[in-house]
Amino acid sequence: MASFTATSMSMISLAKPSLVPSARISSPNSVSLSIKGRNFPSITLQPTGRRFQVTCAAKQETVQKVCDIVKKQLALPEGSSVTGESKFAALGADSLDTVEIVMGLEEEFGISVEEESAQSITTVQEAADMIDKLLESKC
Amino acid sequence: MSSLLDKARLMMNIHCLGRNLVTASSSLHCVQLPAQKEAHFWYVLPDEIKDTNLLNQYFEILSPSEKESVFRMTGELLKKRAILARALVRTTLARYQINCQIDPKALKFKKNRYGKPEVDLQYTEDWKLPQLRFNISHTSSLIACGVTVGSPIGIDVEEKQRRLKNDVLAFARRYFSPDEIEMLTKIADPELRRLELIKLWTLKEAYVKAVGKGFSNLPFNTFTFQFGNRLKTGIHLRPHVMSKAHEITVEPPDDSKNISGNWQFVLLELYGSHYAAICIEQESTNRGKGSIPVNLMLRKTIPFVEDECIFGTDKAVVIGGLTTLLEC
């Protein structure tokens, strides 16, 4: 399908690339940032023990797992960008998708989500935060 | 009101369309308001709309925040769907204004305190706007807008072929009421069971959207749908024999003071490929006298281009709920 005319698209103002910090994720536990060409030391998440790795997942792992579940539920093509900021609705999820995603998350993380909480989740990050909070109470 | 630049751009678009149109709003066919106890159901089929000039025309009637929402959608198909949904709402509601005087772009919307979108009637000084209520639902292949005057309305559309990622019964156990789980469990054929689940889902969605208080205030497993013969309500029949003679009723949650009202349901099958559920509130004075059918008018539309009255055709079949389909 043809894309829209230039006039319609002129509303989008893109952030200037040079000011946006670029993060290179070399491994799930290590992120290095570079802004304007200056490199900052890598930040590495230390695993704190096997038990914590399994039941209290590091936030990044949680986000990644949520992304995977969302991608699977919405049957997104390989290479689709799904990040913490991704809104379910913007990815094309309707309410049936959302409740299926919640079911998938409950299964994956062994948690139980209240109806009130389920409704308040609109982004991947919100889902991950909720999961981490529920997992924390289990540790 | 449109600026000169808007008018110029509009004329350019119209020339590109090559049609004999004067202004965008005059090419919207005006219609009479729904009467009491009447619901109008308008829908578009996205696959029929490929003209980028037409899509631009739809885009242009959106508000700035609606346009932003469109841009946030990922991919062309989702953007197109978002544009069509908002354009359908605006053009549909604009048709009901007296003499079609209202530019679809001029309509303003607000949200009730639970987040349900509604027409904001406050901004008009000169003309008295009818108390239009609406609700929309979209799938990738069909986008619908239901309209009433005065009655809260909720609609939901789903593709019949929609596959759940979860097992049907596992899903039902997680989200539906005990009686509904039992009903589904009794259906031996997995395909029939899946179809019944989708019908139930659309009914539940339509109900919660009509009530308009959000899903957490009306969790799906707190209310039960029942299909009965209108002479003997409350009898559980096997769902796949549900016919248009069968009334659909909902047994509300125990905490019913939260949800009052006499809710009526219609379940449609469209093109043999979609289920559509419509829920409206009837006057409470009818309670106890037996149910009065919902009067329903169906229209397929390509806004600014053509409308088609759906009546007396198997494109739309009532498969549940006491309904009278109206000729337009």
Side-chain angles (χ1 to χ4, degrees):
Chain A
M1 139 144 193
S3 53
F4 299 114
T5 60
T7 48
S8 310
M9 296 296 277
S10 60
M11 262 195 71
I12 302 174
S13 54
L14 300 167
K16 288 197 175 166
S18 57
L19 293 175
V20 175
S22 59
R24 199 168 50 79
I25 302 172
S26 44
S27 78
N29 289 338
S30 174
V31 180
S32 64
L33 291 173
S34 76
I35 301 174
K36 280 195 171 178
R38 287 184 57 205
N39 288 325
F40 292 77
S42 300
I43 302 160
T44 309
L45 294 167
Q46 301 288 355
T48 47
R50 281 212 76 79
R51 177 172 162 262
F52 281 136
Q53 273 186 338
V54 170
T55 55
C56 297
K59 284 224 162 112
Q60 189 140 11
E61 263 181 64
T62 312
V63 170
Q64 188 55 53
K65 281 188 184 163
V66 174
C67 288
D68 290 341
I69 287 170
V70 169
K71 277 190 195 174
K72 207 170 88 172
Q73 174 64 36
L74 304 181
L76 298 177
E78 203 49 57
S80 295
S81 167
V82 180
T83 66
E85 278 150 13
S86 298
K87 289 194 105 168
F88 292 161
L91 295 170
D94 61 11
S95 48
L96 186 45
D97 288 311
T98 305
V99 296
E100 287 220 86
I101 288 168
V102 169
M103 260 183 97
L105 297 176
E106 287 179 331
E107 222 175 86
E108 172 73 24
F109 293 97
I111 53 175
S112 184
V113 178
E114 306 272 298
E115 301 308 308
E116 293 78 9
S117 309
Q119 184 173 353
S120 62
I121 303 168
T122 58
T123 67
V124 169
Q125 189 64 56
E126 282 172 15
D129 289 342
M130 178 198 67
I131 292 163
D132 283 338
K133 213 173 4 184
L134 287 170
L135 288 177
E136 254 169 60
S137 59
K138 287 179 89 178
C139 289
Chain B
M1 286 288 118
S2 313
S3 67
L4 277 174
L5 185 59
D6 284 354
K7 282 212 172 83
R9 203 186 302 151
L10 198 55
M11 293 310 296
M12 246 174 56
N13 282 341
I14 291 162
H15 274 294
C16 292
L17 278 175
R19 288 180 196 271
N20 210 11
L21 303 171
V22 179
T23 67
S25 47
S26 73
S27 65
L28 277 178
H29 185 242
C30 303
V31 295
Q32 275 203 313
L33 288 167
Q36 287 286 324
K37 299 195 292 278
E38 189 173 303
H40 289 183
F41 185 90
W42 298 76
Y43 62 91
V44 297
L45 303 176
D47 292 339
E48 289 187 348
I49 303 175
K50 298 188 223 266
D51 182 349
T52 39
N53 288 319
L54 189 57
L55 282 165
N56 275 338
Q57 214 178 325
Y58 296 154
F59 184 77
E60 287 307 317
I61 66 172
L62 269 47
S63 70
S65 69
E66 286 169 344
K67 286 176 180 171
E68 264 173 59
S69 294
V70 167
F71 284 130
R72 280 200 292 267
M73 305 300 286
T74 54
E76 293 301 307
L77 284 177
L78 289 180
K79 286 188 171 70
K80 178 182 175 185
R81 201 204 300 189
I83 293 171
L84 289 177
R86 296 313 307 170
L88 177 63
V89 173
R90 287 179 171 274
T91 55
T92 301
L93 295 175
R95 297 167 192 271
Y96 294 106
Q97 312 306 335
I98 304 120
N99 300 327
C100 280
Q101 267 165 15
I102 290 201
D103 181 355
K105 190 171 177 146
L107 284 166
K108 294 234 189 317
F109 297 90
K110 61 178 182 185
K111 291 193 172 159
N112 78 1
R113 67 185 170 113
Y114 301 98
K116 180 177 182 183
E118 291 174 349
V119 185
D120 188 348
L121 304 166
Q122 302 299 326
Y123 68 100
T124 59
E125 317 93 12
D126 302 333
W127 51 81
K128 195 156 164 38
L129 289 179
Q131 207 209 350
L132 290 170
R133 310 289 289 268
F134 75 95
N135 193 236
I136 57 169
S137 175
H138 36 70
T139 67
S140 55
S141 45
L142 194 148
I143 300 169
C145 179
V147 183
T148 65
V149 167
S151 160
I153 177 169
I155 70 169
D156 188 55
V157 184
E158 292 294 343
E159 291 174 351
K160 280 175 63 177
Q161 66 185 20
R162 179 166 192 155
R163 304 276 145 194
L164 294 183
K165 293 295 182 294
N166 295 280
D167 169 66
V168 166
L169 283 178
F171 183 90
R173 279 186 224 111
R174 174 63 182 81
Y175 288 113
F176 286 7
S177 74
D179 284 346
E180 288 165 346
I181 297 165
E182 199 191 316
M183 182 170 71
L184 287 170
T185 310
K186 287 193 178 134
I187 302 173
D189 181 78
E191 181 58 12
L192 273 177
R193 191 191 299 154
R194 188 188 63 80
L195 288 172
E196 286 310 308
L197 182 122
I198 297 190
K199 285 181 197 170
L200 271 175
W201 175 269
T202 60
L203 286 165
K204 284 173 164 309
E205 277 275 301
Y207 177 49
V208 173
K209 290 169 80 181
V211 169
K213 290 185 179 162
F215 294 93
S216 63
N217 283 319
L218 193 49
F220 275 21
N221 59 8
T222 62
F223 57 90
T224 298
F225 273 92
Q226 294 168 327
F227 311 116
N229 189 296
R230 82 149 100 168
L231 299 173
K232 305 178 237 173
T233 51
I235 290 189
H236 291 248
L237 296 177
R238 284 190 307 152
H240 62 274
V241 298
M242 172 169 55
S243 77
K244 59 185 174 186
H246 292 154
E247 183 178 6
I248 301 174
T249 53
V250 66
E251 196 181 288
D254 289 330
D255 175 22
S256 298
K257 58 174 153 58
N258 204 18
I259 316 292
S260 58
N262 183 22
W263 302 98
Q264 287 210 253
F265 298 88
V266 178
L267 190 62
L268 301 171
E269 187 170 333
L270 298 171
Y271 301 92
S273 57
H274 292 76
Y275 290 138
I278 302 165
C279 173
I280 65 171
E281 189 177 16
Q282 297 284 39
E283 297 132 41
S284 40
T285 49
N286 284 328
R287 245 197 293 232
K289 291 186 196 169
S291 286
I292 297 170
V294 173
N295 291 329
L296 183 63
M297 201 179 280
L298 303 173
R299 286 186 182 96
K300 177 168 91 75
T301 178
I302 300 175
F304 303 139
V305 177
E306 67 184 27
D307 308 323
E308 181 189 339
C309 183
I310 307 294
F311 176 78
T313 151
D314 57 6
K315 289 179 190 171
V317 176
V318 176
I319 59 172
L322 300 175
T323 312
T324 306
L325 286 181
L326 302 175
E327 203 162 356
C328 307

